[in-house]
Amino acid sequence: MCFRRLAAVAISLISLALLAGCGGAPPRQQRARVEVVLLAGGGARVDLYAAGRLRSDADVRALARRIAGALFPGAEGIRVRTGKDRGAPFARAEIDRAYRTGRRPFLRIDTSGAARELAARGFDDTAMKLRLPPVPATVRPDISGNQLWHLREGDPAPVIGIGMRPEPARWAGVMALPLLGALGVALAFFVRRRALAAPAAGLAVAAALLALPLGAGRHGADLGVAGLLGGTALDVASAAPLTALPLGMPAAMLLGAMTVRSLRGPAVRNGNEAPPRDTGVFW
């Protein structure tokens, strides 16, 4: 009997110790991630990655709407939807007019309201990433240098100042690439002298090769941030410098044909055949 009592007491003590250990563990922190993207036309979007920690998609959309409203007070027409990014569910809030475009637009984002909304839903530590249009800009404070902040319960929420300096002349500079490419292709295919056709084709190829290193498709953002273009016109202007790329393809093929012909030499002709004219392409 004594042995049974001792065994029962030991089992009871072990069970109590296990229960105490489980009950004393600190609660698991709720984490979320917010990405704030400023668009070139004056709009913005807020992506909330916390869908797996809330009860329904409706809760995620409602929280994303409140966060967007807190980050951009006074914004109208906030549209919210849910989606997946690499398998991770998220909610996206889209805002048409988040800041005023112009020569030197400045935007102040107070994250305290968003931090309160997140803390009220149990998110103790939220990483907030800021993405800007590809224009010269200054962001303060930015201690990390990566435009990344943490919204933690109990810590002061940062107030972010963003100053952008668009330079529309940069778009005009890269827009010269497709113009040079078109000129080079036209001269290469229709000029009557091969001595001019070959350099013209080389000019078109060089313009195509320079398009990507010079960021030809990025400088349309300068027009949008400056308030010169918006909507479909901005999309067309952003893509226009990239037309230098397809113009380089026929020019490269023409250079290849010229090279092959120069290496092989002139073809043998019959006695009654007239010699070909020294043209650029239609030989």
Side-chain angles (χ1 to χ4, degrees):
M1 293 295 293
C2 293
F3 177 76
R4 292 180 179 178
R5 289 179 180 177
L6 290 175
V9 171
I11 293 173
S12 300
L13 292 175
I14 293 173
S15 300
L16 290 174
L18 291 174
L19 290 174
C22 293
R28 184 180 178 183
Q29 284 189 336
Q30 291 273 26
R31 297 180 183 271
R33 179 163 58 95
V34 175
E35 290 190 4
V36 180
V37 182
L38 298 184
L39 305 178
R45 68 172 185 258
V46 178
D47 293 343
L48 172 63
Y49 291 84
R53 298 172 178 84
L54 297 175
R55 290 180 297 179
S56 65
D57 288 349
D59 290 341
V60 181
R61 290 192 295 268
L63 181 57
R65 183 183 297 275
R66 289 196 295 270
I67 291 174
L71 293 175
F72 302 98
E76 299 179 357
I78 300 178
R79 303 178 303 277
V80 184
R81 61 181 177 87
T82 53
K84 286 189 176 182
D85 180 17
R86 300 177 183 177
F90 72 99
R92 171 168 293 177
E94 298 176 337
I95 306 167
D96 291 331
R97 301 298 299 175
Y99 67 95
R100 187 184 299 273
T101 58
R103 295 182 59 185
R104 293 292 184 269
F106 181 82
L107 179 64
R108 182 175 176 270
I109 299 179
D110 187 351
T111 63
S112 58
R116 286 193 298 269
E117 294 288 350
L118 290 162
R121 298 306 299 265
F123 294 102
D124 308 296
D125 187 357
T126 300
M128 192 187 82
K129 176 69 175 178
L130 176 66
R131 302 186 187 277
L132 302 178
V135 300
T138 302
V139 179
R140 295 178 181 174
D142 187 12
I143 299 175
S144 66
N146 299 320
Q147 299 176 5
L148 178 67
W149 298 265
H150 283 271
L151 308 181
R152 296 187 176 96
E153 187 177 7
D155 292 349
V159 179
I160 306 168
I162 305 166
M164 292 180 281
R165 302 178 300 278
E167 300 176 1
R170 299 197 305 171
W171 177 85
V174 295
M175 192 59 201
L177 295 177
L179 298 179
L180 292 175
L183 177 63
V185 170
L187 292 176
F189 274 83
F190 298 105
V191 75
R192 290 296 182 179
R193 291 293 177 184
R194 194 176 306 167
L196 295 178
L203 177 64
V205 173
L209 294 177
L210 288 174
L212 292 180
L214 293 179
R218 296 167 55 87
H219 295 304
D222 290 277
L223 301 177
V225 176
L228 300 178
L229 291 177
T232 304
L234 178 58
D235 296 336
V236 173
S238 299
L242 293 175
T243 55
L245 294 174
L247 288 172
M249 296 178 63
M253 295 173 63
L254 178 59
L255 282 177
M258 288 181 176
T259 303
V260 170
R261 181 165 183 176
S262 64
L263 293 176
R264 293 180 59 183
V268 178
R269 299 187 298 271
N270 296 326
N272 297 327
E273 183 180 354
R277 301 178 64 183
D278 185 17
T279 61
V281 61
F282 300 114
W283 309 317

